[in-house]
Structures are given as C-alpha cells and as structure tokens.
Amino acid sequence: MNQQISQEYFIHKFASISLSETDDDNPKQSSPVLDPRLIDYIWQLPAHIKQKLEFFKPNSNFQLSKQNDESVYFGTLILELKHGNGIQVWPQSGNLLIGTWQHDLLEGFCTMHYKNGDIFEAQFQNGCTNGFGIFKSDKKIVKGIWINNQLEGEGQEIKADGTIFYGQFYNGKKQGKGIQMFPDGCKYEGSFENNKFSGDGIFYWSDGSYYRGSFQKGLIMGIGSYINNNGLELIGLFSEVKKTQAKEIGLNKNLQSIMYINQYNQSLLIEKIHLL
C-alpha cells in the first residue's frame, strides 16, 4: 500500500467516527462526522503508524478524542473517559499504543510501538505495568516481570551481539544473582549490582581457566583464586585493569589484563582473550 492509497484509506476508514476534543478553552464535545480536523489529522499521521493501524477495525461506538498531552485516542468512551478497546497515538513523537482501558487507565495486555521500531508488550493494572512483559529493540530483547513500571525479580536479557543474561532485576537493572554468557564463550556466574558484576562470583574463560572471588563495578577486584586450564592455582589479590587504562600503562587494550599479587608480594600479569 503506497502512501497516497494509505492516506485515502484512513480518511475513508475514520470518516464515520465522531471527534471530541479537549483543550484549555473548550470541554470535550462531539464534532460533525466529516470534521476537517479529522481529515487533516489522518493526513498528518506518520506512515509507520498507518501501517500499524491497517488491520485495526473501529466499530460504530468508537470515537476520536484529543488528549491533553496532544495524543489522540481512537476507541470507546464512557462518560468522556477511555474505557474498553482502543488505540492512542502521539503524532509528534510517532508512538502508538494498542490496548484496553478502564476508567481512563490502561488495564490488561497492551502494546506500545515506538517510532524507532522498539516494541513493549506487557500486562497493565490501574495504568501501570504489573505482570509479564517483553521489550524488543534492534539491540536487545528483555523478558520478565514488571511491578509498578519497573522490571523486578527473575528475567532475561538477550542482546543482538549474542550476550545473554539470566537472573534477577531490581528497579529495572541487573541486581542480585545471575548468569551472563558472552558470544566468545566466556561466562560469569555470581552477584550483580547496578548492571555490573559485584560481590562474589566466578568468571570462566573459553580456554577452560576460571577465576573465583571478588568483583567490583564489573571488574575482577579483590581476594580470589585463579585456576588455569592445566590446573595450576594462584591464590591472592587480583586487580583487573580497565580497558581505558590499559594503553596508558603499556598494556594491550584488546586483552583482559589482570594483576595478581601473592602473599609474598610477588606480582604476575595475567592476560586473557575476552571480547568486551
């Protein structure tokens, strides 16, 4: 369907729906069936919103209601409140919401389509996300339980680069116990805080070696033990060098560099292949 056909299609499709409007000067009120504001509005809708609305079938009870945030609601109204099935669009931002309402609040399973292509599908209660939800973008997919608009408890995150996280969330961030697997074969199991490795954990490299011990802000940091793929164990203090600092001190920034100090204050640089 080309853009010209799409515009004519939607003008015809919504021509029989009345428009009520709310602004600072006038209360909501019905308008003539072929109100020119309706025609102008349909013509101005972004193409991607027209495509999402292609299979939307309004019934005779549906109305168009302009909201105070400059969005427009297509659906059923009871006492001038959104109630029942409908669609809400934000022409300026290009976002589209498909769902159900009760007394002006979202209720049940709803889907938000964002202008950039992101999609959020979730259960709503009293206008807030409460229940299972899925967020999809070209960078990642996040699945889990939302409580009062925040991802909480068990969930998973699958990134486009192949990084996968299974574990706990708090206030929308990785926090608590979790497992994170990397596309290069490395894996972390342990505690997270503010989306980063923090506390006790184990990091496995793809060559069979691993580190067990303390982590801070996503880095190996503190007392622990390193076991290489031949079974040799090093116990002591470990300190991972940040990628941004590696070049400054003459280290290969493409390698994961870890400084090891034993009980006799002897040091050793451990360099591992790990794509970050």
Side-chain angles (χ1 to χ4, degrees):
M1 181 182 295
N2 60 41
Q3 186 173 2
Q4 183 65 29
I5 295 175
S6 179
Q7 291 169 344
E8 294 174 354
Y9 170 76
F10 279 97
I11 291 173
H12 173 75
K13 191 171 191 177
F14 294 108
S16 62
I17 304 175
S18 62
L19 173 66
S20 58
E21 181 174 1
T22 299
D23 55 33
D24 294 334
D25 300 321
N26 301 304
K28 291 182 179 179
Q29 56 186 1
S30 297
S31 299
V33 170
L34 293 178
D35 192 306
R37 293 173 300 175
L38 172 58
I39 297 177
D40 291 341
Y41 178 75
I42 298 300
W43 274 82
Q44 293 172 9
L45 284 176
H48 80 279
I49 290 183
K50 294 189 181 78
Q51 293 173 359
K52 295 293 189 303
L53 291 174
E54 182 175 353
F55 301 104
F56 176 59
K57 298 180 180 180
N59 61 43
S60 59
N61 295 325
F62 280 9
Q63 293 180 286
L64 276 77
S65 175
K66 186 176 180 181
Q67 306 295 298
N68 291 327
D69 63 356
E70 299 303 320
S71 66
V72 174
Y73 168 76
F74 301 80
T76 54
L77 294 169
I78 294 181
L79 298 177
E80 300 184 350
L81 299 177
K82 300 187 291 289
H83 194 92
N85 297 327
I87 288 178
Q88 192 164 349
V89 294
W90 287 261
Q92 292 184 353
S93 64
N95 297 336
L96 163 66
L97 175 64
I98 302 174
T100 57
W101 282 258
Q102 287 188 9
H103 308 295
D104 235 25
L105 298 175
L106 285 169
E107 190 75 23
F109 189 77
C110 306
T111 303
M112 174 70 88
H113 296 270
Y114 297 92
K115 184 178 181 179
N116 62 1
D118 295 352
I119 300 174
F120 180 55
E121 304 171 303
Q123 289 286 338
F124 280 75
Q125 292 180 357
N126 296 320
C128 296
T129 48
N130 279 286
F132 181 74
I134 303 176
F135 173 80
K136 303 175 184 178
S137 73
D138 59 354
K139 295 182 179 179
K140 63 182 178 180
I141 297 175
V142 180
K143 303 178 182 180
I145 303 297
W146 269 258
I147 299 176
N148 294 328
N149 296 329
Q150 293 286 358
L151 184 58
E152 302 279 357
E154 298 294 327
Q156 58 181 281
E157 177 187 79
I158 304 171
K159 292 187 176 180
D161 65 4
T163 302
I164 301 174
F165 169 81
Y166 299 96
Q168 298 173 327
F169 288 84
Y170 178 73
N171 282 338
K173 297 182 178 180
K174 304 182 192 76
Q175 187 135 332
K177 298 297 182 182
I179 299 173
Q180 187 157 313
M181 295 176 285
F182 297 88
D184 62 2
C186 296
K187 181 175 71 170
Y188 171 81
E189 296 182 13
S191 298
F192 286 76
E193 183 177 353
N194 197 26
N195 287 330
K196 296 181 179 180
F197 312 153
S198 183
D200 295 331
I202 306 174
F203 193 93
Y204 300 89
W205 286 275
S206 57
D207 63 1
S209 61
Y210 64 93
Y211 164 84
R212 182 194 302 269
S214 296
F215 292 78
Q216 293 181 25
K217 296 182 179 180
L219 301 174
I220 292 173
M221 197 73 63
I223 300 297
S225 63
Y226 167 78
I227 296 89
N228 70 10
N229 51 9
N230 292 319
L232 175 65
E233 182 176 12
L234 302 176
I235 301 174
L237 181 64
F238 294 82
S239 177
E240 183 177 346
V241 180
K242 291 183 179 180
K243 291 284 185 179
T244 54
Q245 297 176 337
K247 188 175 181 181
E248 297 177 3
I249 58 178
L251 298 177
N252 189 335
K253 64 181 181 63
N254 297 315
L255 294 175
Q256 184 178 10
S257 301
I258 305 157
M259 297 298 298
Y260 161 71
I261 301 176
N262 65 13
Q263 59 181 328
Y264 306 108
N265 206 31
Q266 297 170 322
S267 62
L268 175 68
L269 176 64
I270 302 171
E271 292 189 307
K272 308 296 296 184
I273 298 176
H274 175 43
L275 303 177
L276 296 175

